[in-house]
Amino acid sequence: MHSFLRSFAARPLVSACLLALATSLLPLHLSAINAPTLLTPSHNSLGYVANPNFTWSTVSDAVSYDIQISSSTTFSSLVAEGTIEITRFVPKAPLYTANRFWRVRATDANGVTSAWSSTFVYQLRAPAYTQNIPANASLTDIRSAIATAIANKPATVVFAAGATYTVNPTDAYVVSLTDAQDLIIDGNNATFIIENPKSGFIRMTNCQRVAVRRLKIDYNPLPHSVGIVEGINSTTGAITVRRLPGYPDFDAPHMIANWSWGSLLDPTHRGWLKPGVRNLFNFDKTSVTQSPTDSDVFTFNLLTASYSGEFTLNDRLIVFARANGQELCGVTSECRDITFDRITNYASPAGHYSLFDTTEIKILDCHSLKKNSTRWFAGNADGVHSRANLLGPWVEGCSFEGTGDDGIALYNKGLFVLGQDTTTWNKLTISGGALMNFKPTHIFRVFNPRDGTLVGGAFTVATVTANGANYDVTFSPALTTPLVFNQTDPTHNDQLFNVSRRNSSFVIKDNLFDGVRRYGTAVRSAGGIIRGNTYKGASKAAVVMLNEPDTWHNGLYSLNNLVTGNTTENCGFDSSASDFGDITVVFRKLGGISPTRAHSGLIIENNTIKNWSQRGISLENSAGSTIVNNTFVSTQSGFALPGQNHGIYVNNTSGTIVSGNDFTAETRSVTAAVTVTGNND
């Protein structure tokens, strides 16, 4: 799946004059490039997945691939097609049930194309068994019907067209699936109203080839509340808020039970955060009191009273009840080939799509929306939260409005080293729990978070054995140095990162992010594509490739990712966005920036950066990366944050190409269009 880890990173990105010269020196008869070998779906395979994951072999020297999917062997009529730089493709629109013929060809850096591959047939069929769910079905009826369908696989579950199902689960999810295979859950444009504001909609464990499509989901009561600030006590940090109509009381039982923190909102852009202030505030939930004379008015205290200086009268404030909330749609424990298609939600207790220890998850034409003009937010946490997955998610044609955390986050967690066998040097004790994802044959790297350095090379897991709440891991080759594992704070211990489970070959394409707390898209991955997305109002940055050793121990580094054709607008305006660009690459250590050039082979090209603040594009800690043909635009007279303003900022890199970037539409007075500083070679 990592087809361009070699060929794409070597793609020539040079100025127009150099390209013309290089072209003139090419031989008249270019060598042919080999055709790809098709892999999955295998030839003549029978399947029920309408948005299949098509894959093929890597072709040496290829920089892109064309795929055609047809209803005929002659390919005279195409039902889907695409050009992509990696060896996978997912059609966004479901394919109709019929025989589907598909083929792929490769193109090299000189524009030479291969012959078409052989043709494979994918026999797409509708499951023979159908389970209909009537409009008046109870939650018990719904669960029973889905269980019956699973027992009669392959199967389709169909809800009543346009019906509304009001459910109040007393457990974590409306629907929980385990070991389900070849199942289609067709919402048929039905709406679910969930009355338990901490329950998610669906959870899948160890499932394969499951699709959930055509659903709307809302909550009553909502899992957050919004009000207008009517009073500020700068001495005590007490904030008085008038609850807006349609939102729960700030002291409602579910608000107090799941109380987490809040954010100030922009008064004119619903779903955006207020500029120039921090992106979250912690409140003392035990201090919430309701006015004895006005039931819509509540007072509660900031945990840090001095932060009250960032509040002004008539600010909108949202407080999230997400502490014990479940994700809207969760996929975990070796699930494979899961499709979410045309799902619209108007609220979520926590993240929208949470993926852990899975592969081939597709999120297509799904939308997290502010339901109407009274709604200020749509989701309490991440749009897509993807951790430790083999093949990264394919997210296309989606929109995430008013999102309480990152729009999309791809990453893995560092597992803390807790002990080391210094006799054999090939055995470590590491932290376990829900973060554990090591298996034999997986490859890991060792990260020293104190200095921000990598220890040794790559290590292959041999065995994983439970050791109480932790795990013993043996591996090869043996370490040659002692590790640090005795720190009072375990985040200061050396950490292991599983680089086999790093969401490789992900695709984030043609999505809208409109109002996101922190990052529009945060990536710690390899061989993926971020293309054609629009980012508006991401409070800290639109696209970042960075690790987070402080608190979260998220990481690690990014390799050979393509960021192209995206538009960022009015991003990077909260007070934590200092020294960030709309597109940012940086590698961090505890408390600062690492000296290590851990990122490599990144291509940032043909993006439009509009109304950026301190930096438009910031590239640090990278080797062999390029920033080419990006356009910088301003429609404002000033910058959201004070300080220096660099269109392109490059620091501590090697082999960097900066070429063809256009600042003619940047009308503001900037510190520098391009700044190269620090240690570069």
Side-chain angles (χ1 to χ4, degrees), residues 201-520:
F201 177 71
I202 191 167
R203 172 84 163 186
M204 301 186 207
T205 304
N206 196 33
C207 296
Q208 297 184 43
R209 301 176 302 279
V210 176
V212 183
R213 53 174 37 109
R214 299 200 301 166
L215 277 171
K216 295 183 178 67
I217 303 169
D218 200 4
Y219 282 79
N220 183 24
L222 292 169
H224 57 257
S225 192
V226 178
I228 298 176
V229 175
E230 292 191 341
I232 306 163
N233 188 318
S234 59
T235 302
T236 65
I239 306 297
T240 299
V241 177
R242 176 174 295 277
R243 177 185 58 82
L244 290 176
Y247 286 96
D249 291 343
F250 286 94
D251 66 349
H254 79 276
M255 289 293 298
I256 297 299
N258 307 302
W259 189 278
S260 49
W261 38 262
S263 299
L264 288 171
L265 303 179
D266 187 289
T268 58
H269 294 87
R270 290 183 302 116
W272 293 24
L273 301 194
K274 178 181 176 180
V277 302
R278 66 194 66 244
N279 62 47
L280 66 84
F281 298 87
N282 289 306
F283 299 94
D284 178 7
K285 68 179 181 180
T286 66
S287 69
V288 181
T289 57
Q290 187 179 42
S291 168
T293 58
D294 191 333
S295 61
D296 289 331
V297 175
F298 297 82
T299 300
F300 38 87
N301 295 337
L302 282 158
L303 289 180
T304 305
S306 61
Y307 292 169
S308 62
E310 301 184 37
F311 287 67
T312 57
L313 295 179
N314 296 316
D315 277 346
R316 268 67 174 175
L317 172 68
I318 184 170
V319 175
F320 300 97
R322 60 176 262 183
N324 301 298
Q326 303 296 334
E327 67 272 12
L328 193 77
C329 301
V331 186
T332 188
S333 298
E334 298 292 348
C335 283
R336 187 183 189 96
D337 199 356
I338 309 299
T339 305
F340 296 101
D341 169 33
R342 288 167 289 171
I343 295 174
T344 298
N345 71 279
Y346 303 109
S348 177
H352 302 80
Y353 300 91
S354 181
L355 322 173
F356 171 63
D357 198 22
T358 70
T359 190
E360 295 180 37
I361 311 303
K362 295 154 286 185
I363 304 168
L364 308 171
D365 203 13
C366 294
H367 305 279
S368 176
L369 304 177
K370 303 182 294 292
K371 186 176 184 179
N372 52 42
S373 61
T374 71
R375 298 280 182 97
W376 284 78
F377 238 67
N380 283 10
D382 304 58
V384 178
H385 188 98
S386 182
R387 175 165 57 88
N389 299 293
L390 178 61
L391 194 67
W394 186 295
V395 185
E396 182 177 0
C398 300
S399 51
F400 300 95
E401 297 182 347
T403 305
D405 218 322
D406 304 333
I408 294 179
L410 312 181
Y411 71 105
N412 209 334
K413 290 280 189 184
L415 300 180
F416 307 135
V417 177
L418 302 177
Q420 181 176 22
D421 185 333
T422 56
T423 301
T424 63
W425 295 95
N426 70 344
K427 180 180 177 181
L428 295 170
T429 300
I430 61 175
S431 56
L435 302 182
M436 179 63 185
N437 59 81
F438 278 36
K439 297 179 178 67
T441 74
H442 285 181
I443 297 171
F444 68 86
R445 299 294 308 270
V446 181
F447 176 59
N448 168 356
R450 303 168 307 283
D451 302 322
T453 56
L454 298 168
V455 181
F459 302 90
T460 301
V461 175
T463 64
V464 180
T465 307
N467 180 356
N470 302 310
Y471 287 86
D472 291 332
V473 175
T474 64
F475 52 88
S476 63
L479 276 161
T480 59
T481 182
L483 300 183
V484 173
F485 53 84
N486 56 359
Q487 304 297 292
T488 302
D489 181 348
T491 63
H492 291 241
N493 289 1
D494 288 340
Q495 300 167 17
L496 306 190
F497 280 88
N498 187 339
V499 296
S500 294
R501 294 276 178 165
R502 62 183 309 166
N503 303 288
S504 295
S505 299
F506 66 88
V507 173
I508 301 170
K509 180 183 177 186
D510 299 335
N511 305 289
L512 170 65
F513 303 86
D514 189 359
V516 178
R517 192 189 73 84
R518 286 212 331 162
Y519 305 126

